[in-house]
Amino acid sequence: MERTITATEANRDFSRIFREVAAGGSYVVTARGKPLVRIEPANAVIEPQDERVARLHALIDELAALPASAPGRITREDGYA
């Protein structure tokens, strides 16, 4: 279950939050009323939050599957092209 806490609460109760996250809980830490960070177990499954993230993951997978190639000799003048 995800809980929302302020940055002040997270700072003050870090040990307790750490134990709860290690046991499978998760938190969203807010600063000035806006979500700042999410604290969750390291082995948590990260679901794509929107279509852009899903497309980005697909692009990364596609690029990773491409064969590596050597660019050849790069000279100082190549930086001024």
Side-chain angles (χ1 to χ4, degrees):
M1 180 176 146
E2 186 172 276
R3 293 182 48 201
T4 301
I5 58 171
T6 66
T8 302
E9 292 171 315
N11 190 34
R12 183 178 55 231
D13 297 328
F14 184 76
S15 295
R16 177 183 56 81
I17 293 166
F18 186 82
R19 286 190 303 275
E20 290 180 16
V21 170
S26 64
Y27 284 86
V28 172
V29 180
T30 62
R32 297 184 180 95
K34 296 181 181 179
L36 183 65
V37 296
R38 181 183 317 274
I39 303 173
E40 61 186 12
N43 61 354
V45 176
I46 300 173
E47 299 287 332
Q49 295 185 8
D50 62 16
E51 186 60 31
R52 280 187 330 180
V53 173
R55 288 194 320 259
L56 178 60
H57 285 286
L59 175 61
I60 291 170
D61 292 342
E62 185 178 329
L63 292 174
L66 292 174
S69 62
R73 180 172 163 78
I74 298 175
T75 66
R76 182 177 184 158
E77 287 75 30
D78 291 332
Y80 297 101

